[in-house]
Amino acid sequence: MLGRMIFIAVRFDVRPEYSDEWLTLVDDFTRATRAEPGNLFYDWSRSVDDPHRYTLLEGFADAEAGAAHVASDHFEAGMETMAGAIAARPEIIHVDMPGQDGWSAMAELSPRP
């Protein structure tokens, strides 16, 4: 049976005074989200070109898992925390991916022996 995944990418432009502490600010939210039964991954990255930009990659098992995430108490608390530290409205990509249930191995690159 083919899997299914909800893939979400969100870019956050953070106010300069919060950039270095962003991951600490979102730590409780990150931990709670990773503990959700339908969460496949929840990973933050900081831009190498702009120290005030963070990107979040999220994967959920299905639409129901994504809906449960948005309805959670920790989501509401996380949005409140982030709202005070962002410089602009975040940008988002949200894709329902039938036939996918997480990360796949990249065919074009492998480590050398």
Side-chain angles (χ1 to χ4, degrees):
M1 180 176 164
L2 292 176
R4 177 172 221 95
M5 178 176 70
I6 303 299
F7 175 78
I8 302 167
V10 187
R11 286 197 306 202
F12 296 84
D13 289 325
V14 177
R15 293 179 186 166
E17 62 269 27
Y18 292 103
S19 294
D20 288 338
E21 64 180 291
W22 179 256
L23 294 177
T24 301
L25 284 172
V26 299
D27 186 58
D28 288 344
F29 181 49
T30 299
R31 289 172 187 260
T33 301
R34 287 177 176 165
E36 293 174 13
N39 180 257
L40 303 174
F41 55 88
Y42 196 83
D43 299 324
W44 290 99
S45 298
R46 191 174 193 178
S47 171
V48 296
D49 297 320
D50 180 349
H52 310 303
R53 176 169 281 175
Y54 285 84
T55 300
L56 174 62
L57 300 180
E58 308 175 59
F60 293 94
D62 51 34
E64 291 77 22
H69 169 63
V70 172
S72 69
D73 290 342
H74 60 267
F75 184 88
E76 184 177 342
M79 296 303 102
E80 181 63 29
T81 297
M82 288 184 226
I86 58 173
R89 184 179 295 267
E91 299 175 302
I92 189 169
I93 298 170
H94 182 280
V95 181
D96 185 346
M97 302 175 64
Q100 187 74 23
D101 56 8
W103 293 96
S104 299
M106 183 178 172
E108 299 82 5
L109 184 63
S110 296
R112 290 191 182 115

